[in-house]
Amino acid sequence: MSDAFSTRVLNVATGSSERVVDLTRDCEAFLRETAAGRDGLLNIYVPHATAGIAIIETGSGSDDDLLAVLHSLLPADDRWQHRHGAPGHGRDHVLPALVPPHATLPVLGGRLELGTWQSVCLVDTNISNANRHVRLSFLG
């Protein structure tokens, strides 16, 4: 693999509750090791059918608000055709249509280009899968 492309997989324990996990520091650490001051793109990808990547503010309640909105839009009840797993698990399979499983962000001078209050987050509503993999890839 050339220096122009680097990739790494993060293992993220999400536990048995709906979670929004801030990955910003992990992304920044990866870029410090791989970007070497270069411009490029960081792609964040979660290869799961029931999780997504969001760019949102965290720590001020927005992460809890996101979970509340998702719970309102995608209630954990028996309306879903997809019925294996925990009650309402079918909604978890609809989540990536609303919170996509990927994001691509600019990297300038080796640093992630985010707004003041933006964070890179894993969104996981699947209480039956406690471990997630997130692939970080830098192209620059």
Side-chain angles (χ1 to χ4, degrees):
M1 205 175 300
S2 75
D3 288 343
F5 181 80
S6 300
T7 189
R8 172 177 302 152
V9 174
L10 304 174
N11 294 307
V12 181
T14 56
S16 60
S17 62
E18 297 178 0
R19 301 250 338 256
V20 174
V21 180
D22 191 338
L23 302 174
T24 308
R25 287 189 179 141
D26 295 298
C27 293
E28 291 169 340
F30 171 70
L31 290 171
R32 277 193 300 277
E33 295 173 23
T34 60
R38 293 175 291 162
D39 293 349
L41 296 172
L42 175 66
N43 181 263
I44 306 101
Y45 173 69
V46 56
H48 297 281
T50 59
I53 300 295
I55 311 301
I56 62 168
E57 179 180 4
T58 59
S60 65
S62 297
D63 34 358
D64 291 332
D65 290 342
L66 174 59
L67 290 175
V69 166
L70 290 172
H71 211 272
S72 293
L73 292 172
L74 306 171
D77 58 24
D78 64 356
R79 73 183 69 199
W80 308 100
Q81 300 278 332
H82 188 104
R83 293 182 182 266
H84 76 85
H89 175 65
R91 76 182 183 116
D92 300 326
H93 286 274
V94 176
L95 173 77
L98 301 175
V99 181
H102 59 88
T104 301
L105 301 170
V107 176
L108 300 175
R111 298 182 55 131
L112 194 54
E113 184 72 10
L114 288 172
T116 302
W117 303 111
Q118 290 180 316
S119 296
V120 179
C121 297
L122 169 67
V123 179
D124 187 0
T125 60
N126 183 355
I127 62 173
S128 299
N129 190 346
N131 296 298
R132 298 299 186 161
H133 304 289
V134 179
R135 180 169 295 279
L136 305 178
S137 300
F138 173 72
L139 178 63

